Amino acid sequence: MTNAPADLIKEGTTNLFVYKKKTTVKGPSIRDENPFYNPSMELNRDISILVNQWLLNNSMKHVHILDGLAASGIRGVRLAHELSGDFTVTINDWNEQSFSLIQQNIQKNSLQNISVLQRDLNTLLSERRYHSIDIDPFGSPVYFFDAAVRSVYNKGILACTATDTAALCGVFPHVCYRRYAAWPLHNPAMHEIGLRILLGCLCREAAKYDRGIEPLLCYTTDHYIRLYVQVNNGKKAADSSMSQWSSIQARDVPLSQENTTQVGPLWLGKLQKKTVLQEIRTIASIKVLNTKHLLWKLFFLLEEEADAPPFFYTTNDLSSLLKLSPPTMEHIFDRLRSKGFIVTRTHCTSTGFKTNAPLDVITEVFK
Ligand SMILES: C[S@@+](CC[C@H](N)C(=O)[O-])C[C@H]1O[C@@H](n2cnc3c(N)ncnc32)[C@H](O)[C@@H]1O
């Protein structure tokens, strides 16, 4: 660590020492000598509080939570301080500077229900089991998938962030193939495709051990993808998950310029569990969180699209394709609904909509 004093900040109801600088703008993770801290990930951490509170509310037993890649410890310390219920938190980071900053943050909040480790996460996951595991790396979480799906208890939650969006969204397709054994597609729906590739990869890793995944809350932003999935034991659960994992052709994705190019394999099932989202929204209404305005917006969109088919159209891309100026979203929604089709917005882009209507009907509505 530099000799410069750490900055005292507050997220949720927790006061923490972190090292600001270089990461105060939105964008991918930047490494420096001090433990990493990215203020633009506050929404990401606020959702961790909500999902873990949901787990505690729905658990009859003591819950053991792991913040596996902790940096300043901000996520794990917040969990220990802001959750209520019968639980303990373990915070881990193999970096020495992180280890000492995490201890300062625990002291600052006078926490008892918490312990700190300085271990390699894969080794730790091979030795111990947890009910909730958070993996928040620089780049891809894939290196930890195998150990994490073995470590998490039945019905436990596995959460991860991926910031390697350039690979998952098709800027570097060979990197995506190498990491996830899946082909991405660089088209308007690339973020949703990247999210589904990541989920598909996790599904495959879990199935090896006769375990299935159930996505609870999954979303994507411009610079990261975030998953919360429940892991369930049994061949039936594994088979049911694997039935949602498949390759498609580019022409199956709306507005793709390509045709027979393979996309995936990727997860084609649901990305959200609507009942869980609704319960999480209720929890959000009673927690103190700084990003509530963003949370509401995101949760409403996730709930709206929870039962919609995969992928979406965007009005801009449809306009260029059809050489027509776009009608309002309201017009598109009214017309498609009056014809009996499903149509919803998507959290991926404000100009996007999901529908089961075929392109000729959409074209007619557009005119
Ligand atoms: C992006 S930062 C974590 C950010 C943090 N979760 C937050 O919310 O601010 C990733 C951290 O993972 C740690 N790390 C990377 N590989 C690791 C490994 N194999 N075992 C343990 N820690 C690791 C790094 O030292 C770094 O502090």
Side-chain angles (χ1 to χ4, degrees):
M1 263 182 284
T2 57
N3 291 327
D7 305 285
L8 186 62
I9 57 129
K10 189 171 188 174
E11 275 195 12
T13 58
T14 312
N15 292 303
L16 295 127
F17 293 112
V18 294
Y19 288 88
K20 287 186 182 174
K21 82 181 164 116
K22 287 193 187 165
T23 54
T24 48
V25 287
K26 282 192 176 183
S29 315
I30 300 166
R31 299 180 211 210
D32 74 18
E33 65 200 82
N34 289 322
F36 177 81
Y37 164 67
N38 186 348
S40 78
M41 286 294 205
E42 185 169 357
L43 173 84
N44 180 318
R45 288 185 285 267
D46 280 354
I47 297 176
S48 279
I49 301 286
L50 298 174
V51 176
N52 280 287
Q53 188 62 63
W54 174 84
L55 179 67
L56 287 171
N57 294 356
N58 287 279
S59 177
M60 308 293 279
K61 290 181 289 192
H62 182 84
V63 169
H64 197 169
I65 302 169
L66 174 69
D67 176 4
L69 301 170
S72 66
I74 188 165
R75 194 180 300 260
V77 170
R78 283 193 60 192
L79 289 167
H81 188 242
E82 295 176 37
L83 296 179
S84 51
D86 180 13
F87 72 100
T88 41
V89 177
T90 296
I91 305 192
N92 178 66
D93 198 295
W94 65 7
N95 179 279
E96 206 171 325
Q97 280 86 9
S98 290
F99 186 70
S100 80
L101 184 61
I102 294 165
Q103 283 171 324
Q104 282 180 49
N105 280 325
I106 292 173
Q107 265 177 15
K108 174 79 190 154
N109 289 279
S110 313
L111 297 169
Q112 304 296 330
N113 56 343
I114 195 161
S115 56
V116 199
L117 298 172
Q118 193 186 340
R119 305 282 310 276
D120 167 52
L121 179 59
N122 271 323
T123 317
L124 177 64
L125 290 170
S126 300
E127 291 169 6
R128 299 197 197 170
R129 303 196 70 185
Y130 299 93
H131 301 94
S132 173
I133 298 173
D134 195 283
I135 302 170
D136 185 31
F138 296 119
S140 173
V142 75
Y143 317 107
F144 305 103
F145 277 0
D146 179 80
V149 294
R150 284 184 288 120
S151 170
V152 67
Y153 281 117
N154 187 30
K155 305 217 175 298
I157 290 180
L158 226 166
C160 70
T161 312
T163 57
D164 59 334
T165 48
L168 284 162
C169 299
V171 180
F172 304 119
H174 283 88
V175 178
C176 185
Y177 188 67
R178 215 164 56 226
R179 255 174 222 163
Y180 301 101
W183 291 108
L185 185 68
H186 197 60
N187 107 328
M190 62 192 172
H191 287 99
E192 183 179 330
I193 292 168
L195 170 53
R196 289 179 181 280
I197 285 176
L198 191 67
L199 262 176
C201 180
L202 189 57
C203 160
R204 172 70 209 112
E205 291 291 312
K208 289 189 301 195
Y209 302 106
D210 287 347
R211 312 193 88 184
I213 62 159
E214 182 168 23
L216 301 180
L217 190 166
C218 304
Y219 67 97
T220 157
T221 70
D222 281 348
H223 78 279
Y224 72 90
I225 292 170
R226 180 83 177 158
L227 313 180
Y228 291 90
V229 306
Q230 193 159 41
V231 177
N232 300 312
N233 282 356
K235 294 185 170 75
K236 218 168 138 189
D239 288 345
S240 157
S241 293
M242 286 299 283
S243 70
Q244 320 263 14
W245 180 72
S246 176
S247 289
I248 56 173
Q249 292 192 336
R251 65 164 169 255
D252 300 326
V253 180
L255 302 173
S256 174
Q257 302 292 318
E258 291 154 86
N259 206 355
T260 55
T261 314
Q262 181 192 325
V263 181
L266 74 179
W267 176 262
L268 292 169
K270 291 192 176 170
L271 301 180
Q272 328 293 338
K273 191 165 178 183
K274 210 170 183 173
T275 49
V276 174
L277 279 179
Q278 285 159 348
E279 286 171 42
I280 284 174
R281 210 149 43 81
T282 309
I283 298 169
S285 66
I286 48 179
K287 290 277 183 201
V288 177
L289 301 167
N290 294 327
T291 66
K292 270 199 185 163
H293 56 297
L294 299 171
L295 281 172
W296 291 137
K297 201 173 152 203
L298 177 65
F299 288 167
F300 277 120
L301 288 170
L302 294 181
E303 236 176 276
E304 183 175 327
E305 68 181 303
D307 297 324
F311 315 125
F312 54 85
Y313 294 88
T314 64
T315 48
N316 327 354
D317 292 284
L318 271 169
S319 301
S320 341
L321 178 79
L322 303 172
K323 312 234 175 321
L324 293 167
S325 52
T328 62
M329 281 285 212
E330 209 180 359
H331 172 89
I332 298 170
F333 277 46
D334 286 348
R335 297 273 319 272
L336 286 177
R337 281 186 183 141
S338 71
K339 290 173 184 290
F341 293 102
I342 299 170
V343 54
T344 74
R345 291 174 296 167
T346 168
H347 78 284
C348 296
T349 163
S350 58
T351 61
F353 64 94
K354 294 190 160 211
T355 181
N356 58 351
L359 186 58
D360 56 336
V361 175
I362 298 169
T363 306
E364 190 193 316
V365 161
F366 224 75
K367 281 178 185 160

